[in-house]
Each structure stands twice: as structure tokens, then as C-alpha cells.
Amino acid sequence: MSIAIAAAPGRQDLHSSAMRRRVIAGTTIGNALEFFDFTVFTFLMLVIGPLFFPAASAYGQLLLTTATFGVGFLMRPVGGMLIGSYADRHGRRAAMTLTLWLMGLGCALIAAAPTYAQMGVAGPVLMVLARLIQGFAAGGEVGASTTLLVEHAPADKRGFYSSWQFGSQSLGVMLGALTVALLTAALSKEQMQAWGWRVPFVIGILTVPVGAYIRRNLEETLEPANTFTSSQNAQTAHSSHTPHSSHTPHSSHTSHSSQTPLTSKPSPAASQHQPLRLVFAEHKAQIVKGILLVIGGMVCAQIIGFYMPAYANKELGLPATSTLFASVVLGAIGFVIAPFVGMLADRVGRKKVIFWSRAATVCALLPCFQWLVSAPSTERLMTVIALLAILLALQTAPVITMLPELFPKAVRTTGMSVVYGLGISVFGGFAQFFVTWLLHVTGNPMAPAWYLMVTVTLSTVVLFWIQDRTGHVIDTQEP
């Protein structure tokens, strides 16, 4: 049964400065804690592999561990669809709280998982189950939290507000890598294998109540008047073509006053609102465009942010601690510059920032990898990571803003969650698996660079068919 979210008596103005600051802080902290829980696994792959897949070769262990990491992404579309639909019916805040507790459950299962030596195949099975739960939670988290940020933001600052989604993810990555790096430096190899690898997941469990408390105090943005939609009206309003929707990836944006909002008429069948059915029935084109748009940033984030430590350690022979601190640098840069990228996108338009940053990424990838591989060192690794981290933030923050702008409010969380979940499940989640396989088959240390160049280029082409809604009013209640 659907529940409309009514405005509570005496509730704060959704667009007050105090409420907006609270939303940014609450979403960022909660999201960072959740992504810490989800991503810390990848920084421990070289420790977890021998413990849970001892019969495999070193290559097989890495491949099986990256596959275990990847299965979490298989559940992202499912979590996105179900939790996104829940958020469009019951509220964004309720969905965000649910995902936080599910992520904590996944952490608890991993922390308690017996190794292969202790219980045989039961250990790897429990690990896979935990990753499936975490993937389900992460699939619903991004759509709900980004939608909340976008719906609290004024029209001319949506890029800045939604940039905190990427910033918080980067903060989670930074904290995860830093935790593992400090443990690796402080503990012996035997201690890490015996119990040290479990510590980050215990920390993840302990952070859940903190995040839940923070999110409990956020104001809901889903209102009865906009909860249910006359589908034809929403589709017509959303697809209205203005001079701004020129088929160029760097067309200038126009004043929001000239743009038709994504309005929705209340449906007589409000209690039977089915956002998942509506989004697939009436927004298929937006889903396809969104998936194609998002895969470039997804693959870059997975390879640069998560695979690089294992690549630099296994393929280039760099110390594990230095490769982990490279991920700390990546997360710190993303967290710091994401808001500035959001403000830039609000000023010059999303498509310009995405197009030129991706063009720079494609041009920089091969020289960066060649320079690193020719003489591997911690200094070169840090330099390459820092440069690619800047380019990653420049392309990803505006993309995260464009995704919820593709859909009307009544199906916004569902639509974005479907796009994000499907895009990341195949192209993002298994990027590490594909690159590990390519390195083994080709023997070419440049394989990650070529894989990134192809996916980023293909993902950029779709910009020609996506309307840039920078500065446009997308909901009638926006100020």
C-alpha cells in the first residue's frame, strides 16, 4: 500500500538556508559512511583472496576476489528498482535509512565470515551473500540521496548540491583506503590475515547508528501533490523541446524561466501509484540515455579508484601501503573539488564540463599509464592518481546531477536508481574483472588504459542526444 508523505505541522521550509545545510551535511555524512562500508572490501582483496580461495593461483585468487566484489554490483539494479520505487511512494528519507541498515548487515556478515580453512566453502558463500546485500543497499542509496539533494536545491544550484553525492562517495573511499593503509602499516602480515582484515567491517557496523540518527532529522521532499502522476502529462512536460536542447554536448544553457517544469497531475488512483512500471513504460529513452551517459564515469571510478591499488602492487611491484595511500589521495581530491565542479557546472552547463573533461581523460590515459609503467614508483603513482582524480571529479559530478534531471518527480528516484544500477552493475562492477582478465590474456600492462579509453569515448557520444537542464526549473514548487 502506498503512503503519501504529508507535510508535518510546523515543519521547516524545505528551501531555507538552515534546512539546505542540514541536508548537505546529513546526506554527505551518511553516504560517506555507507560507501566506506561498500568499498573497503576492494582494498582488502589481496588479503581476502588467499583466505577464502586458497586452492587458486595468485591470479585466480585475484580474479575470484574481484568477482566476489563484482557480485555486489549485480544486485544494484534490483536494489535500485525496489528501493527507488519505495522512495517514490514512501519518501526519500525512509529509503535512505533502510539502505544504511542493510549496508550494516552486509558488514556484519563479512566481519563474521569464517575463512575457507575454518568452514570450507561456507566462508566464500557467506561472503558472496554479504556482497549481494550490500549491492542491493547501494543500488537504492544513490538514487534516494541524490534526489533529496536535487529537490532541496534551487534551480541555479542543483549542480553544487548534487555534487556532494560524488564528494561523499569520495570521502567514503578516502576513509576506507586510509583505514586499510593504517592497519597494513601497523600490523604484521600474519595479524592482518588472522584478524586485522575484519576490523574495517566492524567499524562499518558501528557507524550505522550514527548515520541513521543523522538522517532521521532530515526533512522529506516527497509531497502528496507530486507523489502521483498522470503519466502522459509528465512525459509531455518532460520531453518538451526548447531551443536549449540543441544536439551539441556543449550548448549554452538558457534561463530557467523559459523551461517547462516537470509537473505531474495527481492521479485518481493515488493509492496504486507504481513508479517502477511508469518509468519503464514511459521513460525508456531516458533510461537508455542515462545508462550510456553514466558508464564512462563508472568504469573510470572503478579502475582508477579501486583497481589501481591491486594493479600497482601485483603488476608493478609497488608496496601495498603506497598504493593504498594513492587511493586516499584520490578520495581526498574528489571530496575537496567536487563542490567546485558542481558550481562550475551550474555556471557554464553540465554538458560542457562533461565533454571537455572526458576529452582530456581520453587524451591523458595512455601517456599516464606509459609513464607509470616505464619506471614504477610511489611518486609517479601519486602523480598519476592525482591527475586522473581531478578529471574523474570533473566528469562525474555533473553526470550525477543530470541523471535525476532526466525524470519527473513522481518517478525521479526510481528512474535514477534504475539508470545508475544498470549502468554500474555491468560496466562498473565487473570492470576490475574484465581488466584483470585482459591483463592475463594480453600480457599488456596498458590494457587498463585502452579499456578506459574505449568506454569513456562511447559514453561521451550520447551527450549529443541529452538535453542540458542547467538552471531550469524541474519542479513547480522550486523557488
Side-chain angles (χ1 to χ4, degrees):
M1 179 178 176
S2 301
I3 300 176
I5 306 298
R11 65 180 290 174
Q12 291 191 38
D13 181 4
L14 288 180
H15 302 295
S16 68
S17 297
M19 179 51 61
R20 284 169 170 162
R21 287 193 297 269
R22 183 187 298 177
V23 167
I24 290 176
T27 304
T28 299
I29 294 172
N31 207 39
L33 295 176
E34 200 157 346
F35 271 81
F36 169 91
D37 296 347
F38 186 76
T39 59
V40 73
F41 182 93
T42 193
F43 300 121
L44 291 163
M45 287 195 298
L46 296 179
V47 178
I48 290 174
L51 295 175
F52 287 84
F53 308 104
S57 63
Y59 160 72
Q61 289 173 356
L62 181 58
L63 198 63
L64 288 169
T65 312
T66 56
T68 303
F69 176 77
V71 297
F73 289 85
L74 288 177
M75 290 299 290
R76 288 246 187 156
V78 180
M81 293 176 193
L82 297 182
I83 298 178
S85 178
Y86 178 82
D88 281 330
R89 299 170 64 196
H90 299 268
R92 289 67 163 111
R93 185 178 61 184
M96 290 164 62
T97 302
L98 173 63
T99 62
L100 196 60
W101 286 106
L102 287 173
M103 192 66 74
L105 174 61
C107 275
L109 291 176
I110 295 176
T115 63
Y116 189 90
Q118 292 171 328
M119 289 191 65
V121 72
V125 169
L126 189 61
M127 187 73 74
V128 169
L129 175 62
R131 291 299 298 169
L132 290 173
I133 293 173
Q134 288 189 321
F136 182 86
E141 164 67 20
V142 175
S145 57
T146 307
T147 298
L148 192 73
L149 287 166
V150 164
E151 291 175 349
H152 273 279
D156 60 347
K157 292 183 179 178
R158 283 198 303 272
F160 170 73
Y161 276 71
S162 60
S163 70
W164 288 97
Q165 170 62 246
F166 177 74
S168 63
Q169 291 182 25
S170 299
L171 179 60
V173 170
M174 182 190 76
L175 294 175
L178 182 61
T179 301
V180 176
L182 293 176
L183 286 170
T184 303
L187 302 178
S188 66
K189 182 179 179 181
E190 292 73 23
Q191 288 174 318
M192 278 296 293
Q193 291 179 334
W195 55 269
W197 68 271
R198 299 182 190 271
V199 172
F201 300 104
V202 174
I203 294 174
I205 298 170
L206 298 177
T207 62
V208 171
V210 178
Y213 174 79
I214 292 170
R215 291 184 168 182
R216 188 179 66 182
N217 295 313
L218 300 181
E219 287 290 348
E220 182 57 60
T221 58
L222 186 65
E223 295 288 349
N226 288 291
T227 304
F228 310 108
T229 167
S230 170
S231 303
Q232 183 176 2
N233 178 72
Q235 174 69 17
T236 301
H238 182 76
S239 60
S240 60
H241 192 80
T242 68
H244 177 61
S245 59
S246 172
H247 294 312
T248 170
H250 45 281
S251 57
S252 61
H253 58 278
T254 60
S255 170
H256 68 265
S257 61
S258 64
Q259 177 68 19
T260 304
L262 302 188
T263 54
S264 304
K265 294 180 181 178
S267 167
S271 63
Q272 298 179 2
H273 178 51
Q274 299 179 4
L276 187 58
R277 180 184 63 80
L278 290 176
V279 82
F280 278 106
E282 301 180 1
H283 301 281
K284 290 187 288 290
Q286 285 90 336
I287 290 175
V288 173
K289 292 175 185 177
I291 291 173
L292 292 175
L293 176 66
V294 83
I295 60 175
M298 297 290 186
V299 173
C300 281
Q302 294 304 312
I303 299 301
I304 298 169
F306 302 133
Y307 184 77
M308 191 64 79
Y311 171 81
N313 182 244
K314 278 287 187 181
E315 301 294 329
L316 305 181
L318 296 181
T321 50
S322 66
T323 60
L324 287 168
F325 277 114
S327 293
V328 174
V329 170
L330 179 138
I333 289 175
F335 176 64
V336 170
I337 74 170
F340 297 100
V341 174
M343 288 189 284
L344 177 65
D346 282 328
R347 184 176 180 84
V348 305
R350 329 276 191 235
K351 294 171 90 171
K352 281 185 178 180
V353 178
I354 297 169
F355 179 82
W356 291 112
S357 61
R358 285 187 172 180
T361 300
V362 171
C363 293
L365 280 170
L366 202 57
C368 282
F369 272 83
Q370 287 176 334
W371 185 62
L372 176 61
V373 171
S374 65
S377 69
T378 299
E379 293 74 17
R380 288 197 175 196
L381 176 63
M382 294 292 185
T383 303
V384 168
I385 287 288
L387 174 61
L388 295 180
I390 294 171
L391 294 175
L392 177 63
L394 282 167
Q395 67 160 303
T396 305
V399 167
I400 290 177
T401 308
M402 292 188 79
L403 295 182
E405 292 177 336
L406 289 172
F407 301 96
K409 188 168 189 175
V411 296
R412 182 167 294 141
T413 306
T414 305
M416 178 176 176
S417 298
V418 167
V419 166
Y420 193 86
L422 289 174
I424 200 171
S425 63
V426 178
F427 298 96
F430 285 93
Q432 300 184 54
F433 180 88
F434 293 148
V435 169
T436 301
W437 176 78
L438 283 172
L439 283 166
H440 181 73
V441 171
T442 65
N444 185 353
M446 295 294 104
W450 288 110
Y451 182 75
L452 285 173
M453 290 169 67
V454 171
T455 54
V456 171
T457 300
L458 293 176
S459 181
T460 304
V461 173
V462 76
L463 278 174
F464 287 92
W465 290 276
I466 295 181
Q467 182 181 359
D468 192 335
R469 301 184 66 85
T470 301
H472 297 165
V473 173
I474 59 172
D475 293 323
T476 54
Q477 81 275 19
E478 279 195 21

